[in-house]
Amino acid sequence: LTSGGSIPQLGLGTWQMPDAEMVRVVGMAFELGYRHIDGAAAYGNEEGLGRAIAASAVARSELFITTKLRNPDQGYVESLKALDESLAKLRLEYVDLYLIHWPCPAHDRFVESWKALVEAQAAGKVRAIGVSNFRQQDIDRLILETGITPAINQIELHPLLQQSQLRAYDQAHGIITQSWSPLAHGGELLAHPVLREIAEKHGKSPAQVILRWHVQLGLVVIPKS
């Protein structure tokens, strides 16, 4: 990460994961070796993630926890308040990565939100800051108006949506690209005949082949399960 430190290349996504299931599922992930958990305030399960972290025997220093700023909470003061609320729900003094979930350009508040994230990082409440679902022009504006480049841009990315141009832009600016929905939606990609052929050839599942594709491209990947 440009801000120092590193991020595990494979993580567990928690979108649509019920709050009540978080302790069981995240706890199982920890037992299997996961250390990177991707969450968000909008997912409505930060409290469950906090319980899972508290119940785990894994040291906090070994974990990489991400959460995200909800769209209605954008704005300078609002963003700082939202982060404090997320930290309270997570029972943490800091998160390893805090992202602006969407740019919402029509509301034109993402630059003020970004300034708040910069302040939160300086205060030690977050280790790294980044964005999610941002276009090139959105990131250009952040850099132009604040001089601070996001460490990560988390975008929908999979073999059916390869985002080549945006990946090249991120790389040119030292931004790590992170893939959400890395296996696409539903079973369409997993049933793709080319991927099934590759999987059979190597004795792997189509999902493993797809995740390997992400890893070999140098992307950070966060499948849900």
Side-chain angles (χ1 to χ4, degrees), residues 82-155:
L83 173 58
D84 285 341
E85 291 174 353
S86 288
L87 289 173
K89 290 178 180 178
L90 292 166
R91 309 184 191 184
L92 297 176
E93 295 181 358
Y94 70 91
V95 288
D96 299 274
L97 178 64
Y98 196 46
L99 306 177
I100 301 177
H101 208 152
W102 292 87
C104 301
H107 298 291
D108 195 23
R109 306 188 79 185
F110 67 84
V111 174
E112 291 305 308
S113 301
W114 185 242
K115 291 177 181 178
L117 266 62
V118 172
E119 179 178 315
Q121 183 181 27
K125 293 183 178 182
V126 299
R127 295 287 174 86
I129 54 176
V131 295
S132 180
N133 305 299
F134 272 52
R135 305 164 298 174
Q136 296 181 29
Q137 59 264 44
D138 302 323
I139 298 175
D140 281 340
R141 189 171 166 203
L142 290 183
I143 297 170
L144 177 65
E145 297 195 28
T146 70
I148 305 297
T149 302
I152 279 181
N153 187 18
Q154 184 185 113
I155 55 176

Side-chain angles (χ1 to χ4, degrees), residues 190 192-210:
L190 298 179
H192 195 287
V194 173
L195 288 167
R196 291 179 70 88
E197 180 182 347
I198 296 170
E200 289 173 8
K201 177 181 177 181
H202 293 282
K204 303 295 182 181
S205 70
Q208 286 176 303
V209 171
I210 296 164

Side-chain angles (χ1 to χ4, degrees), residues 9 25 28 39 41 57 62 65 67 95 113 131 180 188 206 221:
Q9 195 171 2
V25 176
M28 187 181 299
E62 294 183 26
I65 306 298
T67 195
V95 288
S113 301
V131 295
W180 64 258
E188 177 187 2
V221 60

